Amino acid sequence: MQLAEIGATTNGGVNRQALTDGEHAAWRLITGWAAEAGLQSFTDPVANLFLVFPGTQRDLMPILIGSHLDTQPTGGKFDGAFGVVAALEVAATMSQRRVSPRRDVVVVSWMNEEGSRFAPGMMGSEAFGAHRSVEEIRVICDRDGISVGQEIDRIHAAFGAIERRELGFRPMAYIEPHIEQNTVLQSAASIIGCVTGIQGKKTFEITISGTKGHAGTLQMSQRRDAVLAFARFAAAAEQEMLSDNPDVKFTIGQLKVLPNAPSVIPEKVVFRVDLRHPDNDVLGSCAEKLKLLCARCCSPCAISIEELVSAPSNTFDAALQRLISQAAERRGVPFMPVISFAGHDARHLASLCPSAMIFIPCRDGISHDESEWAEPAHVAAGAQILLDVVNRLLAS
Ligand SMILES: [Zn+2]
């Protein structure tokens, strides 16, 4: 709740976007709590924040736990924040109980998970997992022309006392606690979601190019109207994509019309399609279908299709999933396997080390919204299960 005061909106939500003054304030609060608990902070070239509870054998691979501190512009109190605070609570508890683990336990807050200020998101975890280069990330700008690079330098300057380390290390395991952002747990009256994997996602930018002209004079038969071509495509895509695969998620979330003038035949439509499905083969065939539909529906306009994101679905580590279920069972907390329909930083860690996620319910599945809410008892249960799993890993 204290963290949610940073960037608090009038409707009870949080606006704390990546690398803003709000995130600086969040770093100050979190590193302050970490210092009180005896943890050491460090950062890396992409402004991921790490808080270390040191083990007795520093050369052993650490256990990495956490999530992200940034939010959507009208985000909530729990998305990301829950994972970081739960992880910090685990490390702080171990420190206060004076346990001395062999390996380091490291809490992480990944830079720019949400991608609302700088798109696309998950920059910190992608760079950490060597899926994207630092140079590629630094040149991306927000709407005001401010680059990620400038803002990374600014937060590093503001936190000059925090140690800077090289990018990337190999963890023994990564575990990310997060709110479910769905209603599966709530409907089943379950409290712990043992996440099996994350569904795959593809994003396309499609440009339909026609010819502009006078809305009153040009014969209908002579027109190459980009908006009408788009309308044919959108209607056909909804019908045909869903009739073949009812559980595919198909969204046109952004649309630009040029010149967008009331009496000019539209020359260009640029839009983005977001496709998601847990099965990579189905996702691939939907992408093919999309290209065919474009070709079929958009004539006589020209089309170009650019694939912006291709994130295959992934399956989380079976042994970690088992540890999470066993911990919940031992605590008598209702649990069940769930799939994640949203993307998370854990996707980019899964190729680096055994990874897993612990979900807790959020009220009515509402997330990326100011009314986002998770019950304190569920938050506590998520943190407890994380601690139990970390203890099991340390004992192994
Ligand atoms: Zn999140």
Side-chain angles (χ1 to χ4, degrees), residues 5 60 143 269 290 320 336 347 352 365 395:
E5 287 169 18
L60 292 180
R143 281 192 195 87
V269 172
L290 190 82
L320 285 179
M336 66 186 290
R347 162 182 277 157
L352 201 64

Side-chain angles (χ1 to χ4, degrees), residues 67-68 70 78-81 113-114 176 178-179 181 343-345 368:
S67 190
H68 59 97
D70 69 318
F78 297 90
D79 177 0
E113 194 275 342
E114 295 291 355
E176 180 167 355
H178 206 280
I179 54 169
Q181 305 177 296
H344 295 286
D345 291 305
H368 283 191

Side-chain angles (χ1 to χ4, degrees), residues 49-101:
L49 176 64
F50 300 90
L51 317 163
V52 186
F53 178 49
T56 52
Q57 285 173 260
R58 303 298 307 271
D59 53 332
L60 292 180
M61 290 187 290
I63 296 170
L64 188 62
I65 51 180
S67 190
H68 59 97
L69 288 170
D70 69 318
T71 71
Q72 291 285 324
T74 51
K77 299 181 177 78
F78 297 90
D79 177 0
F82 160 58
V84 176
V85 175
L88 177 56
E89 180 67 18
V90 164
T93 298
M94 299 179 84
S95 176
Q96 282 150 6
R97 296 285 173 92
R98 300 188 189 286
V99 295
S100 53

Side-chain angles (χ1 to χ4, degrees), residues 208 224-232 257-258 266-269 301:
I208 304 176
R224 293 168 74 232
D225 183 324
V227 162
L228 292 184
F230 169 78
R232 289 193 295 273
V257 177
L258 294 168
E267 182 185 22
K268 227 177 225 187
V269 172
C301 295

Side-chain angles (χ1 to χ4, degrees), residues 23 44 54 65 67 70 80 89 114 148-149 156 183 203 225 248 262 268 299 316 331 337 346 357 367 370 379 387:
E23 196 164 42
D44 67 9
I65 51 180
S67 190
D70 69 318
E89 180 67 18
E114 295 291 355
V148 173
H156 281 159
T183 52
T203 311
D225 183 324
V248 73
K268 227 177 225 187
S299 162
F316 285 129
R331 293 273 171 193
M357 293 188 76
S367 180
E370 291 165 289
V379 170
L387 176 60

Side-chain angles (χ1 to χ4, degrees), residues 214-272:
H214 193 295
T217 59
L218 196 66
Q219 292 296 328
M220 291 305 285
S221 60
Q222 291 168 357
R223 294 186 183 192
R224 293 168 74 232
D225 183 324
V227 162
L228 292 184
F230 169 78
R232 289 193 295 273
F233 162 79
E238 189 201 2
Q239 275 252 313
E240 295 181 34
M241 201 82 80
L242 297 183
S243 64
D244 293 354
N245 298 291
D247 44 355
V248 73
K249 303 281 197 321
F250 164 80
T251 309
I252 300 171
Q254 195 179 44
L255 186 66
K256 229 173 8 190
V257 177
L258 294 168
N260 206 23
S263 296
V264 181
I265 297 162
E267 182 185 22
K268 227 177 225 187
V269 172
V270 185
F271 61 103
R272 290 202 180 174

